[in-house]
Amino acid sequence: MRRPVLAAALLAGIVTASCQQTAQAEGAVAAPEAAVQADEAPGRKVAIFAGGCFWGVEGVFSHVKGVTSVVSGYHGGEKKTASYDVVGTGRTGHAEAVRVTYDPAKVRYDQLLRIFFAVVTDPTQLNYQGPDHGTQYRNALVPMDKEQARVAAGYLAQLKRLDLWKRPIVTAVEPYKTFYPAEGYHQDFMANNPDHGYIRRWDAPKVQALKRMFPDLYKPAFTRN
């Protein structure tokens, strides 16, 4: 949702506590098609991904065809610590994550995984992504059912057999706990703040990489909550 102007001004003062503005976006990687494809029943599904600052993760998946909702939030810790300032301490067990609702008739879970590893996250960075450091920025997959768990395990194994990155893959598969939506000003952040310094330098290139590398899955419109 679109936040008030005052909230935007206040946000500029607290951004340095979490998502930073000090680095250029890293290059995308040509992740392969999944050898283990998802076999999902009809009807909307939910997937959870943690891949660093949730602004960019949300921004990329919001431009994927078949995705009907992307919510930024916190996963892995308790309800009482599910707030931006507390999660930013890195001591809550939470990761900044996104909850993606999608139609498997238009985009399968394995295709979302491919996008995640190709343009969203660097799977070799342990407890950080780019300029953002702390356990809250870990990259992780959170399967929501047995089929997603099967496909996630298969794709990770496939990637680990390849030499796409110079360092070992450290992406974890974490059991689902409760997902807590983040504060309103974090939702649709890229769409609401296209000229924000962090968005322009770090996240907008990821969306451009999605458009370039996955033209059949890219959609120009941003999926707003």
Side-chain angles (χ1 to χ4, degrees), residues 46-49 69-73 97-101 176 179-181 225:
V46 172
I48 293 178
F49 300 90
S69 173
V70 188
V71 178
S72 290
V98 300
R99 183 179 64 201
V100 179
T101 304
Y176 174 70
F179 178 88
Y180 300 97
N225 292 315

Side-chain angles (χ1 to χ4, degrees), residues 9-84:
L10 291 174
L11 178 61
I14 66 173
V15 160
T16 55
S18 183
C19 302
Q20 304 296 309
Q21 304 182 55
T22 58
Q24 298 290 339
E26 297 178 346
V29 173
E33 292 186 10
V36 178
Q37 294 190 353
D39 182 12
E40 300 172 283
R44 291 183 178 180
K45 309 298 179 189
V46 172
I48 293 178
F49 300 90
C53 176
F54 45 27
W55 296 345
V57 186
E58 179 198 47
V60 170
F61 283 123
S62 292
H63 282 284
V64 174
K65 291 179 181 178
V67 169
T68 58
S69 173
V70 188
V71 178
S72 290
Y74 313 108
H75 178 269
E78 299 179 358
K79 181 178 181 179
K80 64 183 179 181
T81 60
S83 65
Y84 185 69

Side-chain angles (χ1 to χ4, degrees), residues 16-219:
T16 55
S18 183
C19 302
Q20 304 296 309
Q21 304 182 55
T22 58
Q24 298 290 339
E26 297 178 346
V29 173
E33 292 186 10
V36 178
Q37 294 190 353
D39 182 12
E40 300 172 283
R44 291 183 178 180
K45 309 298 179 189
V46 172
I48 293 178
F49 300 90
C53 176
F54 45 27
W55 296 345
V57 186
E58 179 198 47
V60 170
F61 283 123
S62 292
H63 282 284
V64 174
K65 291 179 181 178
V67 169
T68 58
S69 173
V70 188
V71 178
S72 290
Y74 313 108
H75 178 269
E78 299 179 358
K79 181 178 181 179
K80 64 183 179 181
T81 60
S83 65
Y84 185 69
D85 291 340
V86 182
V87 170
T89 67
R91 298 191 295 270
T92 66
H94 283 294
E96 290 196 9
V98 300
R99 183 179 64 201
V100 179
T101 304
Y102 63 100
D103 180 355
K106 297 179 180 179
V107 60
R108 301 185 309 270
Y109 180 66
D110 60 275
Q111 293 175 305
L112 296 177
L113 286 177
R114 187 185 183 195
I115 290 170
F116 179 72
F117 285 102
V119 305
V120 173
T121 194
D122 181 339
T124 71
Q125 296 180 345
L126 182 63
N127 293 332
Y128 76 100
Q129 280 294 302
D132 302 320
H133 289 250
T135 58
Q136 69 272 32
Y137 297 115
R138 64 188 182 270
N139 61 86
L141 307 175
V142 184
M144 300 297 289
D145 55 36
K146 291 182 179 179
E147 180 62 10
Q148 287 188 0
R150 181 183 74 90
V151 174
Y155 197 57
L156 276 175
Q158 179 182 351
L159 293 180
K160 289 177 180 179
R161 290 192 296 266
L162 303 176
D163 189 24
L164 298 178
W165 295 273
K166 295 180 179 179
R167 293 173 294 180
I169 293 173
V170 296
T171 303
V173 176
E174 299 184 359
Y176 174 70
K177 296 184 179 179
T178 302
F179 178 88
Y180 300 97
E183 294 82 351
Y185 61 80
H186 288 301
Q187 309 301 334
D188 302 333
F189 192 89
M190 183 181 289
N192 291 336
N193 302 274
D195 294 323
H196 191 287
Y198 185 97
I199 295 298
R200 293 180 65 181
R201 297 178 68 183
W202 187 255
D203 293 331
K206 296 180 180 180
V207 175
Q208 290 304 309
L210 171 71
K211 180 180 180 180
R212 181 179 69 254
M213 297 173 67
F214 299 94
D216 293 339
L217 292 176
Y218 171 80
K219 64 181 180 185

